[in-house]
Amino acid sequence: MNVNKKFLQQYINNMQASLFLASVILFTLTKSEEHINNTPFPKDFLFGTATSAYQVEGAWNVDGKGVNNWDKFIHTNRSRIKGNDTADVTCDSYHKYKEDVALLKYLGVQFYRFSISWTRILPNGTQGKINHQGVQYYKNLLKELKRNNITPMVTIFHWDTPQALEEQGGWTNERIVHWYSRYARLCFQLFGDDVKYWMTVNEPKQTCNMGYGNGIFAPGVKSPGEGEYLCVYHVVLAHATAWRIYDKEFRAQQKGKVGIVVDCSWYEPADLWNIQDQLASQLKLHFTYGLYVNPIVYGDFPWAVKSIVKKRSLAQGYNRSRLPEFSQQQKELVKGTYDFLGLNYYTARYIKPDPDTPVDGKGYDFDSETTTFVDPHWEKGASFWLYVVPWGIKKLVTWLSQTYGNPPVIITENGYSEHGTMDDQKRISYIKSHLSNLKEAMNNGVNIKGYTYWSLMDNFEWVEGYAVKFGLYHVDFEGAKRNRTAKSSVEYYKKVISTRCLVDKCK
Ligand SMILES: *[C@@H]1O[C@H](CO)[C@@H](O)[C@H](O)[C@H]1NC(C)=O
Ligand SMILES: *[C@@H]1O[C@H](CO)[C@@H](O)[C@H](O)[C@H]1NC(C)=O
Ligand SMILES: *[C@@H]1O[C@H](CO)[C@@H](O)[C@H](O)[C@H]1NC(C)=O
Ligand SMILES: *[C@@H]1O[C@H](CO)[C@@H](O)[C@H](O)[C@H]1NC(C)=O
Ligand SMILES: *[C@@H]1O[C@H](CO)[C@@H](O)[C@H](O)[C@H]1NC(C)=O
């Protein structure tokens, strides 16, 4: 016992020493923030911005749209959302899409990333009835983008599961693979002539961990490490089935690309010279990005994740791992099902092993047996989780490139939140410093194809309602017209896009 205690004390002392060191390094880094990369982005590099259907469309019950899991989650208990808000109207993009496209045009973006609302197309989630008014909305939006020479990047599923399917278990029911892939095929059929970039699923960790694990998000199910991992397993199979459908039935004619979007923070070892902290960092990255992408690239969940979840499951009295196993046939199905990888990066954490992880803890929140913390000097956004760590994006894309054989990567989201600032200088420096770090990674050979600022405009930020704002454009949520007004960052991002350069004059 004494030996353990002594070890722990030593460990804590080491930690304090390295924290001090980290702060010194960080202070130095902050000091040199002015050092912005001065090489231009390549001509074929894509700049864009993004939204998602549930966060901007509103019109929740208009023109035949069916009810989805977030409608239900919010309408049954409005205090789940800050300020008791809803997304029933939000930015009203369903009616104002032409104005949205005009904003995109003004910005000069090459692409617009948006999502299709599943229940606007299929009110019940399945093929029973196609809602033609919903289909027409997306056809109109695509036509307007085309007229303005803006490339659409379309997310097929961005968190809004049809309620009719949620009531049958949603992403924990193995039939979701069939439901989802038929819906995806319908999207390729309906819109594929005009869409060359498809994203199957957005941020599955938020659906699986927050939706079925800790239950903070819709559908509010608390099944950590069980329903949560079934969801992970089905997301991977659903993505892969959709990619195979595209590859077999549509690719030759439509010539598009299909990828997945996974969100990941950078996890910096608490002490860079401590091997245990380095292992904790690797393990957490595999739990966060690798859980979804390792099967898609290599055909199976990461070895380290499988091994620790199995160990913990057996210790908890299960007769097998809580993490489902792919059959040989499924491994072959999922392996190689990507044309590009999408990465959403916002923030970073320090990480170290957590010897106090509860033995009975389950799921993403416990199974990696690690704990994370932030540097108190890090600048904060308005979202409670958003600490500004620009160097994290460079480390993360470098890790991704090394881990998955330098695949084509699109930064599908990156953004900063405030509480309502028109002169958003902090957003400008967030964009500048993240793009600078990204460019440094590109100069080192990392294969980045594009960058997406989240978001085009302030919108419904899930359980945070309208309290935090990520937009380049401000939206007046009090006014019936939902007027959009440019913040200072619009002129900045517009200039970056037109000059392909982050400083006054590039080399
Ligand atoms: C299909 O959706 C409609 C509209 O959301 C609903 O009224 C109806 O009950 C649903 N039917 C089934 C079989 O789920
Ligand atoms: C509604 O949600 C709030 C916040 O999550 C929660 O505290 C409350 O218990 C919920 N009420 C019901 C009736 O479920
Ligand atoms: C939200 O609704 C709850 C329950 O109806 C109420 O007690 C609370 O005051 C409301 N909060 C706001 C910010 O309106
Ligand atoms: C494992 O346990 C489950 C119930 O939790 C049972 O259905 C299954 O048959 C068991 N498998 C083996 C191999 O014992
Ligand atoms: C919203 O915009 C419209 C048209 O641009 C304008 O007439 C109206 O005054 C604006 N409303 C507010 C509240 O700013």
Side-chain angles (χ1 to χ4, degrees):
M1 193 181 81
N2 275 339
V3 177
N4 271 340
K5 247 189 165 162
K6 224 170 121 183
F7 176 77
L8 198 66
Q9 191 53 53
Q10 210 173 8
Y11 185 79
I12 290 167
N13 289 345
N14 280 343
M15 281 300 313
Q16 283 167 342
S18 58
L19 254 177
F20 174 73
L21 198 65
S23 312
V24 172
I25 292 171
L26 237 129
F27 182 69
T28 322
L29 275 174
T30 319
K31 278 290 205 190
S32 65
E33 203 185 56
E34 274 68 42
H35 181 74
I36 295 297
N37 193 284
N38 65 356
T39 57
F41 282 84
K43 291 250 179 312
D44 61 352
F45 187 85
L46 303 170
F47 286 103
T49 185
T51 61
S52 87
Y54 197 72
Q55 291 173 278
V56 302
E57 281 178 7
W60 78 279
N61 60 354
V62 172
D63 288 349
K65 176 182 161 289
V67 174
N68 64 41
N69 61 341
W70 276 88
D71 292 324
K72 180 79 177 180
F73 183 70
I74 298 170
H75 293 163
T76 48
N77 180 359
R78 291 190 45 175
S79 30
R80 281 169 160 150
I81 310 298
K82 196 173 273 180
N84 296 346
D85 271 316
T86 76
D88 293 356
V89 180
T90 178
C91 308
D92 199 23
S93 285
Y94 186 72
H95 297 111
K96 292 172 71 83
Y97 69 91
K98 283 193 179 171
E99 210 176 302
D100 293 347
V101 176
L103 305 180
L104 293 161
K105 181 73 180 171
Y106 181 78
L107 272 166
V109 289
Q110 274 93 48
F111 69 87
Y112 178 43
R113 177 176 175 238
F114 65 92
S115 82
I116 295 177
S117 158
W118 190 336
T119 55
R120 219 180 265 297
I121 306 292
L122 295 169
N124 292 78
T126 55
Q127 304 290 313
K129 184 179 115 205
I130 295 177
N131 178 31
H132 293 286
Q133 286 169 289
V135 172
Q136 196 55 48
Y137 168 68
Y138 296 107
K139 293 230 169 183
N140 293 344
L141 174 58
L142 287 168
K143 196 166 141 197
E144 193 68 9
L145 289 167
K146 196 173 190 171
R147 259 171 25 94
N148 287 281
N149 210 10
I150 298 165
T151 301
M153 285 196 185
V154 180
T155 312
I156 298 172
F157 175 74
H158 196 125
W159 305 11
D160 44 0
T161 312
Q163 185 56 23
L165 305 183
E166 197 68 81
E167 271 154 27
Q168 299 171 66
W171 288 91
T172 65
N173 185 333
E174 65 183 0
R175 288 174 63 205
I176 193 90
V177 178
H178 176 71
W179 297 327
Y180 171 84
S181 55
R182 291 197 63 180
Y183 159 57
R185 177 188 279 116
L186 183 61
C187 291
F188 301 147
Q189 276 165 355
L190 290 168
F191 310 116
D193 287 341
D194 292 315
V195 178
K196 303 304 159 199
Y197 291 90
W198 290 102
M199 281 151 259
T200 54
V201 175
N202 176 75
E203 298 193 352
K205 174 160 79 81
Q206 302 302 325
T207 296
C208 296
N209 170 247
M210 302 287 275
Y212 299 99
N214 56 39
I216 293 169
F217 285 175
V221 172
K222 289 192 178 70
S223 178
E226 294 184 14
E228 179 183 349
Y229 288 155
L230 278 175
C231 169
V232 172
Y233 178 59
H234 297 143
V235 162
V236 172
L237 293 171
H239 157 85
T241 307
W243 189 92
R244 296 269 172 220
I245 287 173
Y246 190 82
D247 200 47
K248 199 162 159 240
E249 302 172 25
F250 300 93
R251 186 187 297 281
Q253 213 194 330
Q254 297 183 349
K255 301 186 170 60
K257 297 182 197 305
V258 183
I260 189 170
V261 172
V262 178
D263 56 310
C264 194
S265 301
W266 170 250
Y267 293 100
E268 178 76 354
D271 174 352
L272 261 181
W273 293 277
N274 179 318
I275 188 82
Q276 297 307 323
D277 293 354
Q278 288 176 15
L279 289 173
S281 158
Q282 290 296 313
L283 183 58
K284 189 75 173 185
L285 291 166
H286 283 297
F287 256 101
T288 311
Y289 203 78
L291 200 54
Y292 302 94
V293 169
N294 210 82
I296 288 167
V297 175
Y298 297 121
D300 201 356
F301 290 125
W303 171 84
V305 172
K306 289 202 300 182
S307 136
I308 196 167
V309 177
K310 184 162 190 181
K311 180 198 83 174
R312 293 180 57 78
S313 303
L314 297 181
Q316 289 162 353
Y318 292 81
N319 59 13
R320 59 185 154 96
S321 179
R322 285 180 273 102
L323 184 66
E325 273 181 39
F326 291 112
S327 67
Q328 196 50 42
Q329 203 184 0
Q330 288 171 334
K331 287 180 185 177
E332 282 158 26
L333 170 84
V334 301
K335 186 176 174 177
T337 54
Y338 65 100
D339 303 312
F340 65 90
L341 297 176
L343 169 67
N344 292 358
Y345 174 84
Y346 288 91
T347 191
R349 295 290 183 271
Y350 282 100
I351 192 162
K352 60 187 171 110
D354 183 5
D356 298 326
T357 304
V359 175
D360 58 357
K362 297 173 198 170
Y364 177 79
D365 298 333
F366 295 102
D367 280 334
S368 71
E369 300 183 346
T370 56
T371 183
T372 63
F373 59 99
V374 300
D375 185 299
H377 296 104
W378 285 346
E379 191 194 325
K380 274 202 76 179
S383 315
F384 65 90
W385 49 267
L386 207 173
Y387 291 82
V388 180
V389 192
W391 49 265
I393 196 170
K394 181 178 171 185
K395 293 204 177 199
L396 184 56
V397 295
T398 304
W399 177 85
L400 210 147
S401 154
Q402 288 166 352
T403 308
Y404 303 110
N406 205 15
V409 172
I410 298 173
I411 303 303
T412 34
E413 286 180 28
N414 177 240
Y416 178 82
S417 59
E418 21 77 18
H419 289 295
T421 317
M422 296 308 293
D423 187 18
D424 53 346
Q425 294 302 323
K426 287 183 174 168
R427 175 168 292 109
I428 291 174
S429 72
Y430 183 97
I431 296 173
K432 188 189 286 182
S433 56
H434 283 75
L435 277 172
S436 177
N437 276 277
L438 199 63
K439 190 62 186 25
E440 281 177 24
M442 289 168 67
N443 290 354
N444 293 339
V446 177
N447 193 7
I448 311 289
K449 299 294 189 195
Y451 172 85
T452 317
Y453 180 76
W454 179 275
S455 173
L456 170 63
M457 58 192 155
D458 295 344
N459 58 48
F460 180 75
E461 180 55 17
W462 310 106
V463 295
E464 301 230 59
Y466 301 98
V468 304
K469 298 161 190 299
F470 280 92
L472 296 166
Y473 285 88
H474 170 271
V475 176
D476 173 20
F477 293 107
E478 307 296 321
K481 296 239 179 274
R482 298 299 197 271
N483 284 5
R484 284 89 158 119
T485 312
K487 302 180 192 174
S488 299
S489 53
V490 165
E491 287 307 320
Y492 175 73
Y493 194 41
K494 182 179 167 68
K495 184 166 163 233
V496 169
I497 298 169
S498 68
T499 62
R500 324 227 115 221
C501 180
L502 301 172
V503 294
D504 285 337
K505 203 166 183 325
C506 268
K507 267 189 179 167

